[in-house]
């Protein structure tokens, strides 16, 4: 296997999104477990960072279309490559779907979304509790699915780094 690295732009967005998604998932889980005062502060930050994650996701997808990653020829059975492609594809669906459903839930709840005080996203003039509840539930389900996919992704990283010892991780660092 070659040790060719991913582009700097993809490596930066990968690790930046990894940190931001970890914050989003942890803060989301903590907020659902608490009704204390700090929860509202975390919720405001969660919304703003979610908007940033969506923006970074869009930039990452656009960059990947313009500059496709150099695909390393892998000496793996076809099913392993298909599983890796499916996991990556589903992670992309979740990285788009989670912030979109989060923002939609706030829209239908008529709750303002302040992006670090710089600007506010529009809200519905009338609260729709049915749509809010449905989209909020979907938001949580997508987040749970992303956690499972991240664990699969990390399992693949561990397999390649410590069992195959093929320097796959080095390409993303």
């Amino acid at each position: 296997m070659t040790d060719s690295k991913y582009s700097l732009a993809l490596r930066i967005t990968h690790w930046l999104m990894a940190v931001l998604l970890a914050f989003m998932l942890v803060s989301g889980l903590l907020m659902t477990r608490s009704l204390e005062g700090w929860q509202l502060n975390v919720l405001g930050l969660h919304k703003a960072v979610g908007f940033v994650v969506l923006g970074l996701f869009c930039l990452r997808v656009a960059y990947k279309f313009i500059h496709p990653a150099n695909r390393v020829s892998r000496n793996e059975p076809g099913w392993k490559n298909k599983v890796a492609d499916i996991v990556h594809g589903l992670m992309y669906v979740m990285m788009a779907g989670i912030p979109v459903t989060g923002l939609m839930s706030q829209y239908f709840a008529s709750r303002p979304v302040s992006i670090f005080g710089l600007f506010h996203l529009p809200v519905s003039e009338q609260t729709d509790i049915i749509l809010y509840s449905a989209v909020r539930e979907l938001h949580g389900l997508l987040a749970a699915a992303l956690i499972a996919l991240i664990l699969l992704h990390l399992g693949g990283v561990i397999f390649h780094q410590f069992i195959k010892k093929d320097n796959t991780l080095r390409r993303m660092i």
Side-chain angles (χ1 to χ4, degrees), residues 101-122:
T101 55
L103 294 171
M104 286 175 60
S105 72
Q106 297 307 289
Y107 176 84
F108 291 126
S110 299
R111 292 181 181 159
V113 176
S114 171
I115 308 304
F116 303 109
L118 300 173
F119 61 94
H120 293 75
L121 299 181

Side-chain angles (χ1 to χ4, degrees), residues 36-109:
E36 296 178 27
W38 60 265
Q39 192 256 7
L40 289 176
N41 293 330
V42 173
L43 178 60
L45 186 59
H46 185 86
K47 292 177 193 183
V49 172
F51 185 80
V52 170
V53 166
L54 184 58
L56 280 172
F57 170 79
C58 291
L59 287 173
R60 184 179 172 117
V61 169
Y63 185 86
K64 281 185 74 113
F65 276 116
I66 296 167
H67 305 282
N70 53 341
R71 197 122 174 159
V72 175
S73 62
R74 298 179 264 185
N75 297 326
E76 297 285 347
W79 69 268
K80 284 186 181 178
N81 291 334
K82 285 191 189 322
V83 168
D85 289 342
I86 289 168
V87 168
H88 283 114
L90 288 173
M91 286 177 74
Y92 271 73
V93 169
M94 300 306 138
M95 287 187 285
I98 293 168
V100 167
T101 55
L103 294 171
M104 286 175 60
S105 72
Q106 297 307 289
Y107 176 84
F108 291 126

